[in-house]
Amino acid sequence: MTRILTVEDIDDIAIGAGILGTGGGGDPLIGRLLVQKAIRDGLTVTVVHPDEVPDEACVIASAMMGAPTVVVEKLPAGEEALNSLRALETRIGKTADFIIPMEIGGLNSMIPLLAAAQAGIPVVDGDGMGRAFPELQMETFGVYGVPGSPLVVSDANGDHVVVETGDDNVRMESFARAVTIRMGGAAYIAEYPMSGADVKRTAVAGTLGLAQSFGAAVREANQAHSDPIAAIASVVQDSIYGYAHVIATGKVTDVQRQVVDGFSSGTLKIAVFGAEDELVIDFRNENIIARMVDPAGHSEVVGVVPDLICVLDSDSGEAITTESTRYGQRVTVLGISTPEIMRTPEALKVWGPRCFGLDHDWTPLEQLAAPKQAAPAP
Amino acid sequence: MTRILTVEDIDDIAIGAGILGTGGGGDPLIGRLLVQKAIRDGLTVTVVHPDEVPDEACVIASAMMGAPTVVVEKLPAGEEALNSLRALETRIGKTADFIIPMEIGGLNSMIPLLAAAQAGIPVVDGDGMGRAFPELQMETFGVYGVPGSPLVVSDANGDHVVVETGDDNVRMESFARAVTIRMGGAAYIAEYPMSGADVKRTAVAGTLGLAQSFGAAVREANQAHSDPIAAIASVVQDSIYGYAHVIATGKVTDVQRQVVDGFSSGTLKIAVFGAEDELVIDFRNENIIARMVDPAGHSEVVGVVPDLICVLDSDSGEAITTESTRYGQRVTVLGISTPEIMRTPEALKVWGPRCFGLDHDWTPLEQLAAPKQAAPAP
């Protein structure tokens, strides 16, 4: 199942990773261009499934850290992620055999491909988030016992910082975040050094392939003038995510955004077509909760983190990030459920609704969508 | 000239280091108690002069980083500075033969003694600041070409961060500062790994001894009911600092303090005894400029950084930090000139008045104090 990615594959992955970004994760654009240039320059991006990674292999997670919006104005020098990889290898006294994406959603689908191509090693088809999340402790690797540190964070000047917090991934996140801000708001990390056995046990498997399938489905539907969103939902049903449904289709009527505690937080309102209802989505980098509000003001939760609330362009099926949402856009909100590995009690302790300041427990998307049962007669 | 410090020596050094703190650097109290406990527990603090350090020896600078006021409420666990030393040794693949204080002024006179006693190695009698300064690039080591990084910063949890910025000590300061804040506002560093030859070439030599001589002079003057401040000035005259004079004696009439950009900034006003003048001292952690203002409002600079502007208790001769300055205190402001190694063009580029936001060039204290010459007749 080892395969080599083409420039066209990268286009598809970028589209799919935008969808898996669930509003956040940043536009993959800059990363896509860098990876495609690397391929055109003769480098190779090889992808292997987690099952193909030997148990004793050394695997390192790679990502951009910080504000994806910064990357658009402050382009990477190009070798930051590789520099972090090399410094982490030096620290642990091992050479990486594989790179694994930290986060499949958004820009971070691309950075690991670049680092792997530069290092001449394969990328594992999987990641630690199965979507986009805002913080480094929110990774399946950490949820299932892999320490995130030592972590290396590098900038475009060739400087780097090594963070050593043992198995305390929250403090690791805090220290790396502080340095990233001083590095100009965007930096490149290598973290969660682990074995192939760890990868098989802890990664969300197949997410690079899933992103690519999303992108291919969207591309092909657009070529065939068929419904790209139905095509995405159909890909989901054949994946470990398993369930997707359209929460609403409508028009963006309002977006409120502010930066709170370093997060881009706000609310998006959508007038639902063919109904009097309004869909209200709160976001904190990513979309975290969607509520359907009827004209009388009664609201009902219709999707909540960690399930994916994907705001898509109704025509093209491509993702609209929270930053690029504008009044008047015609959007379809697609809910995608999370795979089993992301909905265990251990996982929900790290990225359940309360981790995002919501006063809600998690109810699975498929359960929220089920027809309401009348209360049994007394 | 190797000598072993006693509990009483530590008392004297703490008093002298307070004076060399020139308003900042923090009260040495907590550090003094930790070092004295270490000595009482059987550890040894050995001091050697830079001339005794072999050229090829490995020397590492040690210090607390952050807000000394935090240390009073968040006591160190006790081995943070040693942990940083050990992690830096691992990073550079060498074992330290000596520790050198980063900063003789204030609390940081004590932290390196503790780390050295714990590591079982001697302390070099000298430092990188010759006083207290607020930032890590403000060290003679860096001024004369020793890279500050790799630097290690450790906290009480046993976590640490390695900062690698090559020879860019300003970025090193920035990254280490950001982490220190996340570590709770006070952390412990090992930095500027260097050779014995580097130490001889770049350190401000003999400052631990100078602090101790200051402390002894104050103690003996108090016992003899003689003038402690005259005793300090007399010690200065026999040192590489060379020159001291009383700028003013008076009563504190006003203190304005605010935290700006992480610095404790403000202004201190002193009604000068036996004159209508007011002495106005601006501080930014440390006292940075003193101006004599006459009743008509004409002001004249009478001391400016890097020269030491030391506000001392007129009775005891002990230092009053900018945090502990209060209305009504009777104070004597002693100016102490800086040694040659701290007043070269390279040095003034790093800690001249403009590095503290002052729109002044540096004029040496002894020149400011010289009787004004009438302008020559035309």
Side-chain angles (χ1 to χ4, degrees):
Chain A
M1 284 155 69
T2 297
R3 59 203 181 85
I4 290 173
L5 297 183
T6 64
V7 166
E8 293 71 30
D9 293 339
I10 301 297
D11 281 329
D12 287 347
I13 294 173
I15 291 173
I19 296 166
L20 288 165
T22 185
D27 188 325
L29 175 67
I30 302 293
R32 172 170 70 75
L33 297 174
L34 288 169
V35 177
Q36 290 177 327
K37 177 171 188 310
I39 293 173
R40 291 195 179 101
D41 288 349
L43 297 184
T44 305
V45 181
T46 307
V47 178
V48 303
H49 192 270
D51 293 344
E52 297 171 275
V53 179
D55 278 354
E56 63 287 357
C58 172
V59 187
I60 288 177
S62 168
M64 192 277 305
M65 179 165 195
T69 45
V70 171
V71 177
V72 179
E73 299 192 7
K74 180 176 174 281
L75 296 177
E79 302 221 320
E80 292 92 332
L82 181 67
N83 291 345
S84 281
L85 178 74
R86 292 298 185 226
L88 185 51
E89 289 175 334
T90 300
R91 163 59 185 82
I92 63 175
K94 287 184 196 172
T95 304
D97 301 306
F98 298 88
I99 278 180
I100 188 163
M102 172 189 93
E103 170 184 51
I104 190 61
L107 175 62
N108 270 332
S109 58
M110 294 292 148
I111 300 302
L113 306 186
L114 183 64
Q118 291 168 336
I121 57 177
V123 178
V124 179
D125 183 355
D127 76 307
M129 294 184 170
R131 43 168 291 167
F133 277 133
E135 297 187 342
L136 303 185
Q137 77 277 11
M138 295 176 165
E139 302 185 40
T140 48
F141 316 134
V143 165
Y144 298 110
V146 178
S149 96
L151 167 151
V152 176
V153 50
S154 292
D155 66 18
N157 290 331
D159 298 329
H160 75 261
V161 167
V162 185
V163 176
E164 306 261 4
T165 54
D167 60 1
D168 190 333
N169 303 327
V170 173
R171 293 175 66 81
M172 176 188 80
E173 153 70 31
S174 172
F175 300 162
R177 184 74 51 185
V179 171
T180 294
I181 292 166
R182 297 286 177 119
M183 283 178 166
Y188 297 82
I189 61 173
E191 47 149 33
Y192 286 94
M194 64 189 127
S195 69
D198 287 333
V199 168
K200 289 174 200 168
R201 188 173 58 80
T202 68
V204 188
T207 48
L208 258 179
L210 180 68
Q212 189 175 344
S213 299
F214 278 0
V218 165
R219 175 173 45 80
E220 288 162 11
N222 282 320
Q223 283 162 355
H225 302 289
S226 63
D227 179 2
I229 291 162
I232 297 167
S234 157
V235 172
V236 172
Q237 273 149 23
D238 294 333
S239 77
I240 58 170
Y241 290 66
Y243 178 84
H245 83 271
V246 171
I247 293 174
T249 299
K251 187 184 90 160
V252 175
T253 55
D254 194 20
V255 197
Q256 305 277 351
R257 264 188 224 97
Q258 50 183 331
V259 174
V260 178
D261 297 339
F263 294 97
S264 170
S265 296
T267 300
L268 163 66
K269 294 183 177 168
I270 296 164
V272 178
F273 290 155
E276 302 283 294
D277 294 349
E278 186 173 56
L279 184 69
V280 179
I281 299 175
D282 291 342
F283 53 88
R284 195 154 181 246
N285 287 12
E286 287 76 38
N287 300 319
I288 57 172
I289 190 164
R291 294 182 181 90
M292 195 67 82
V293 182
D294 73 15
H298 298 299
S299 87
E300 190 185 351
V301 174
V302 291
V304 63
V305 66
D307 285 329
L308 287 70
I309 300 165
C310 307
V311 179
L312 308 177
D313 180 297
S314 291
D315 286 333
S316 72
E318 292 198 34
I320 300 175
T321 62
T322 58
E323 296 119 37
S324 59
T325 311
R326 300 277 179 277
Y327 174 86
Q329 284 167 330
R330 265 59 177 173
V331 299
T332 299
V333 180
L334 184 70
I336 301 178
S337 68
T338 41
E340 204 51 43
I341 195 170
M342 294 180 62
R343 49 166 77 187
T344 62
E346 305 95 288
L348 292 171
K349 220 157 68 183
V350 177
W351 53 57
R354 292 181 196 280
C355 303
F356 295 85
L358 295 173
D359 189 20
H360 277 275
D361 289 319
W362 179 64
T363 307
L365 183 72
E366 59 276 19
Q367 199 170 313
L368 290 173
K372 298 290 171 289
Q373 305 264 330
Chain B
M1 284 155 69
T2 298
R3 59 202 180 87
I4 292 175
L5 299 183
T6 65
V7 166
E8 293 70 32
D9 292 340
I10 302 298
D11 281 328
D12 285 347
I13 293 173
I15 291 173
I19 296 165
L20 288 164
T22 185
D27 187 327
L29 174 68
I30 302 292
R32 172 170 70 74
L33 295 175
L34 287 169
V35 177
Q36 290 178 327
K37 178 172 187 309
I39 294 173
R40 291 195 178 102
D41 289 349
L43 297 183
T44 305
V45 182
T46 307
V47 179
V48 302
H49 192 270
D51 293 343
E52 297 171 275
V53 178
D55 278 354
E56 64 286 357
C58 172
V59 187
I60 290 177
S62 169
M64 192 277 306
M65 178 165 196
T69 46
V70 171
V71 177
V72 179
E73 300 191 7
K74 180 175 175 282
L75 296 177
E79 301 220 320
E80 291 93 334
L82 181 66
N83 291 345
S84 282
L85 177 74
R86 292 299 185 224
L88 185 52
E89 287 175 334
T90 301
R91 162 60 186 82
I92 62 176
K94 288 185 195 171
T95 304
D97 301 306
F98 298 88
I99 279 180
I100 188 163
M102 171 190 94
E103 170 184 51
I104 192 61
L107 174 62
N108 270 332
S109 59
M110 293 293 148
I111 300 301
L113 306 187
L114 183 64
Q118 290 168 336
I121 56 177
V123 178
V124 178
D125 184 357
D127 76 307
M129 294 183 170
R131 44 168 289 166
F133 277 134
E135 298 188 341
L136 303 184
Q137 76 278 11
M138 294 177 164
E139 303 186 38
T140 48
F141 315 133
V143 165
Y144 298 110
V146 179
S149 98
L151 166 150
V152 176
V153 50
S154 293
D155 66 17
N157 291 330
D159 298 330
H160 74 261
V161 167
V162 185
V163 175
E164 307 260 4
T165 54
D167 60 1
D168 189 333
N169 303 327
V170 173
R171 293 175 64 82
M172 176 188 80
E173 155 67 32
S174 171
F175 300 162
R177 185 72 53 187
V179 171
T180 294
I181 292 166
R182 296 286 176 118
M183 285 178 164
Y188 298 82
I189 60 174
E191 48 150 32
Y192 285 94
M194 62 188 127
S195 69
D198 288 332
V199 168
K200 289 174 200 170
R201 186 173 58 79
T202 69
V204 188
T207 47
L208 259 179
L210 181 67
Q212 188 175 343
S213 299
F214 278 0
V218 166
R219 174 171 47 78
E220 287 162 12
N222 282 320
Q223 283 163 354
H225 304 288
S226 65
D227 179 1
I229 291 162
I232 297 166
S234 157
V235 172
V236 171
Q237 275 150 23
D238 294 335
S239 77
I240 57 171
Y241 290 65
Y243 178 84
H245 83 271
V246 171
I247 293 174
T249 299
K251 188 184 87 160
V252 175
T253 56
D254 194 20
V255 197
Q256 305 276 352
R257 264 188 223 96
Q258 50 184 330
V259 175
V260 178
D261 298 338
F263 293 97
S264 171
S265 295
T267 300
L268 162 67
K269 293 182 178 171
I270 296 163
V272 176
F273 289 156
E276 302 282 294
D277 294 349
E278 185 173 58
L279 184 68
V280 179
I281 299 176
D282 292 341
F283 53 88
R284 195 154 182 247
N285 287 13
E286 286 75 41
N287 300 319
I288 56 173
I289 190 165
R291 295 182 181 88
M292 194 67 81
V293 183
D294 73 16
H298 298 300
S299 87
E300 190 185 351
V301 174
V302 291
V304 62
V305 67
D307 285 328
L308 287 69
I309 301 165
C310 306
V311 178
L312 308 176
D313 180 297
S314 290
D315 285 334
S316 71
E318 292 198 33
I320 299 176
T321 63
T322 57
E323 298 120 33
S324 60
T325 311
R326 301 277 179 276
Y327 174 86
Q329 284 167 330
R330 265 61 177 171
V331 299
T332 298
V333 180
L334 184 71
I336 301 177
S337 69
T338 42
E340 204 51 42
I341 195 170
M342 294 179 62
R343 50 166 79 190
T344 62
E346 305 95 289
L348 292 171
K349 218 157 67 183
V350 177
W351 53 57
R354 292 180 196 280
C355 303
F356 295 84
L358 296 173
D359 188 22
H360 278 274
D361 289 318
W362 178 64
T363 308
L365 182 73
E366 60 275 19
Q367 200 168 311
L368 291 173
K372 300 288 171 292
Q373 306 262 330

